């Protein structure tokens, strides 16, 4: 990693690199914002640059880690003596571990061999891809044993050059006991140590903790930035990357998860449904297809699928709109279906109608999120889209 490998977040990178250049590093930060947008990536890179043996200015005058020194190598593997990376762990075998004052033993050492192995695997993945959400079964909390370990590390003198960092990933997972212990640590800042909390649920953190941190908001990512990163890192076609990005709400890790799902198939299904909406005497067929598609219930899983389908339909209609007003094809998301799109535009391409149809779909997505009956939403939408697209033809 280097700053330029972190997707988007230019404002935050600016704040951090300026702090490094001016040697004004706070003793505690809270990086907050939605899941999967790179908060841990920023924290890890910050710690790496501050510990690099030969940091240098890049072409834009920004301080970068060299990426090749021993320190950079250790930091890149999250195995740096100066960088403690804290995250939720499962409860230890001995249930008393939270109470026994177990100073001096790493909380990890109390776990089973299988658990330790799993944690090491997860850390390896995290090191290779800092956008990875560490997932360990039964690990919903950051426990006091982890915070005690932090305290112990901070209190020991370090022979390492550079600056010590404690990164607490998804810090809102600290249980009450851990949070109270951590607050004491924050109240006694050490000039040698910087603590970074990352969280996508800032409201869950104690206000007494937040008030002692410099809070830095991290923004959701732009679709285009996500799509380009997906192409670069997963070597997938741009149109597939754009579909995933469009559905990911600005979260890179969510977009990565979506790659495993067959979005193209989902899109084929919804575009077929659109075709059906526009055929004569569509109602009976439509109801039948709808049930096959949505299922009769409205389980959350079906709703997620349905929402994705409507968003895909929206990208399709927006593409048609774009084609109806301009010949340019470079912003078209569903570029692999360009011939179908052109035919559709040839038949229904009154741009005002396409725009209205897009808004009807947006409203349907809103209603779906408000938990209105899914079949009702789709039937209403079908009638609405049909009425809009056939008017003034
Ligand atoms: Zn270096």
């Amino acid at each position: 990693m280097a700053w330029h490998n972190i997707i988007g977040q230019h404002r935050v990178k600016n704040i951090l690199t300026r702090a490094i250049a001016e040697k004004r590093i706070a003793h505690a930060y809270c990086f907050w914002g939605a899941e999967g947008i790179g908060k841990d990536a920023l924290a890890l890179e910050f710690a790496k640059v501050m510990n690099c043996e030969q940091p240098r200015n890049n072409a834009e005058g920004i301080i970068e880690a060299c990426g090749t020194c021993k320190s950079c190598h250790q930091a890149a593997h999250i195995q740096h003596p100066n960088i403690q990376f804290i995250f939720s762990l499962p409860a230890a075998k001995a249930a008393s571990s939270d109470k026994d004052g177990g100073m001096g033993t790493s909380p990890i050492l109390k776990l089973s061999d299988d658990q330790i192995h799993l944690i090491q695997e997860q850390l390896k993945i995290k090191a290779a891809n800092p956008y990875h959400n560490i997932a360990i079964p039964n690990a919903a909390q950051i426990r006091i044993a982890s915070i005690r370990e932090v305290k112990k590390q901070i209190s020991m003198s370090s022979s390492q050059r550079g600056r010590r960092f404690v990164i607490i990933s998804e810090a809102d997972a600290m249980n009450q006991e851990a949070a109270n212990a951590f607050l004491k640590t924050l109240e006694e800042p050490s000039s040698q140590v910087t603590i970074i909390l990352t969280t996508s649920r800032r409201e869950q953190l104690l206000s007494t903790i937040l008030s002692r941190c410099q809070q830095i908001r991290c923004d959701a990512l732009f679709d285009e930035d996500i799509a380009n990163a997906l192409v670069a890192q997963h070597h997938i076609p741009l149109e597939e990357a754009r579909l995933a990005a469009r559905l990911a709400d600005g979260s890179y890790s969510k977009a990565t998860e979506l790659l495993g799902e067959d979005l193209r198939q989902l899109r084929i299904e919804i575009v077929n449904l659109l075709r059906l909406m526009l055929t004569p005497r569509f109602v009976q067929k439509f109801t039948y297809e709808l049930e096959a598609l949505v299922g009769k219930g409205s389980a959350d899983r079906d709703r997620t699928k349905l929402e994705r389908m409507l968003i895909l339909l929206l990208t399709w209609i927006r593409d048609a709109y774009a084609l109806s007003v301009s010949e340019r094809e470079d912003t078209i998301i569903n570029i692999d279906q360009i011939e179908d799109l052109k035919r559709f535009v040839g038949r229904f391409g009154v741009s005002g109608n396409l725009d209205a149809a897009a808004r009807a779909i947006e409203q349907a997505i809103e209603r779906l999120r408000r938990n209105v009956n899914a079949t009702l939403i789709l039937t209403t939408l079908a009638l609405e889209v049909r009425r809009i697209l056939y008017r003034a033809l």
Side-chain angles (χ1 to χ4, degrees):
M1 274 272 155
W3 290 122
H4 67 85
N5 287 335
I6 295 176
I7 307 162
Q9 306 298 355
H10 300 290
R11 184 177 47 78
V12 177
K13 287 184 218 170
N14 260 332
I15 295 172
L16 299 180
T17 50
R18 218 169 41 218
I20 295 171
E22 294 169 1
K23 298 190 168 58
R24 295 197 326 182
I25 313 293
H27 72 263
Y29 292 91
C30 174
F31 294 175
W32 64 277
E35 225 170 82
I37 59 174
K39 301 180 297 293
D40 286 349
L42 287 160
L44 288 165
E45 190 60 28
F46 189 24
K48 187 169 107 194
V49 176
M50 286 297 296
N51 280 286
C52 174
E53 290 159 23
Q54 292 172 313
R56 55 192 69 166
N57 283 348
N58 68 13
E60 290 104 60
I62 292 167
I63 298 176
E64 288 274 13
C66 74
T68 51
C69 71
K70 186 182 171 203
S71 172
C72 281
H73 193 71
Q74 289 174 322
H77 289 85
I78 319 185
Q79 287 176 353
H80 197 293
N82 269 357
I83 303 171
Q84 248 183 307
F85 188 76
I86 307 292
F87 48 96
S88 296
L89 292 175
K93 276 177 288 183
S96 61
S97 68
D98 274 10
K99 302 282 179 197
D100 66 1
M103 306 286 279
T105 319
S106 160
I108 287 187
L109 295 179
K110 293 181 184 170
L111 300 173
S112 72
D113 289 353
D114 283 353
Q115 284 172 320
I116 292 172
H117 180 70
L118 187 64
I119 289 165
Q120 285 167 340
E121 285 299 305
Q122 286 289 310
L123 270 175
K124 251 189 228 166
I125 300 172
K126 184 79 179 175
N129 169 22
Y131 292 83
H132 172 69
N133 284 326
I134 290 183
I136 297 161
N138 305 316
Q141 291 185 344
I142 296 175
R143 295 162 200 281
I144 194 163
S146 294
I147 301 302
R148 283 196 189 118
E149 178 72 6
V150 168
K151 284 190 168 186
K152 190 182 119 203
Q153 292 284 338
I154 290 178
S155 68
M156 292 193 312
S157 62
S158 166
S159 54
Q160 288 274 326
R161 60 182 294 286
R163 187 176 180 83
R164 284 209 235 160
F165 279 80
V166 176
I167 300 168
I168 305 187
S169 178
E170 294 297 342
D172 51 90
M174 278 190 279
N175 64 24
Q176 201 181 0
E177 200 181 10
N180 288 331
F182 178 67
L183 182 59
K184 293 207 183 71
T185 306
L186 266 186
E187 284 167 345
E188 300 155 7
S190 154
S191 61
Q192 312 299 319
V193 181
T194 289
I195 296 170
I196 304 177
L197 310 180
T198 71
T199 179
S200 48
R201 285 170 290 270
R202 185 175 61 143
E203 67 287 351
Q204 306 272 326
L205 282 169
L206 294 178
S207 58
T208 41
I209 287 180
L210 279 175
S211 67
R212 284 174 172 78
C213 299
Q214 181 179 338
Q215 297 180 44
I216 298 184
R217 187 190 80 239
C218 301
D219 297 317
L221 303 172
F222 291 111
D223 288 359
E224 202 54 25
D225 288 344
I226 293 178
N228 290 335
L230 288 176
V231 170
Q233 284 166 31
H234 295 269
H235 313 290
I236 55 168
L238 182 60
E239 61 265 24
E240 198 178 325
R242 281 180 167 168
L243 282 183
R246 188 66 200 80
L247 290 170
D249 283 333
S251 162
Y252 183 68
S253 51
K254 196 165 165 188
T256 320
E257 284 164 23
L258 284 165
L259 291 185
E261 312 216 358
D262 200 344
L263 297 180
R264 290 184 193 218
Q265 182 54 37
L266 217 52
R267 186 192 48 183
I268 289 170
E269 288 175 27
I270 193 74
V271 172
N272 280 340
L273 200 64
L274 174 67
R275 285 206 183 90
L276 198 59
M277 285 179 198
L278 298 171
T279 55
R281 293 186 298 282
F282 84 110
V283 175
Q284 298 88 340
K285 265 195 262 167
F286 184 76
T287 314
Y288 177 77
E289 289 285 325
L290 201 58
E291 273 183 5
L293 210 60
V294 185
K296 290 191 179 174
S298 54
D300 285 344
R301 188 179 55 78
D302 295 331
R303 274 184 182 266
T304 307
K305 181 182 171 194
L306 195 56
E307 183 176 330
R308 282 182 187 163
M309 290 177 84
L310 287 180
I311 294 173
L312 290 171
L313 180 62
L314 186 59
T315 67
W316 211 84
I317 292 285
R318 282 206 187 121
D319 280 350
Y321 172 78
L323 282 176
S324 74
V325 294
S326 159
E327 303 265 289
R328 289 182 51 187
E329 293 179 9
D330 52 335
T331 58
I332 302 299
I333 292 181
N334 299 283
I335 195 72
D336 55 323
Q337 292 203 328
I338 190 76
E339 293 311 319
D340 282 355
L341 276 164
K342 282 180 177 166
R343 268 195 298 277
F344 182 78
V345 171
R347 173 85 175 85
F348 295 102
V350 179
S351 56
N353 288 358
L354 291 171
D355 187 40
R359 273 184 280 126
I361 298 167
E362 282 169 351
Q363 282 172 7
I365 294 168
E366 279 305 306
R367 280 188 215 123
L368 193 67
R369 287 177 180 162
R370 290 204 310 268
N371 241 9
V372 183
N373 177 295
T375 312
L376 178 68
I377 294 170
L378 273 193
T379 311
T380 313
L381 176 66
L383 291 169
E384 180 90 354
V385 166
R386 189 181 161 86
R387 185 183 60 75
I388 293 169
L389 292 183
Y390 274 116
R391 78 186 171 198
L393 275 182

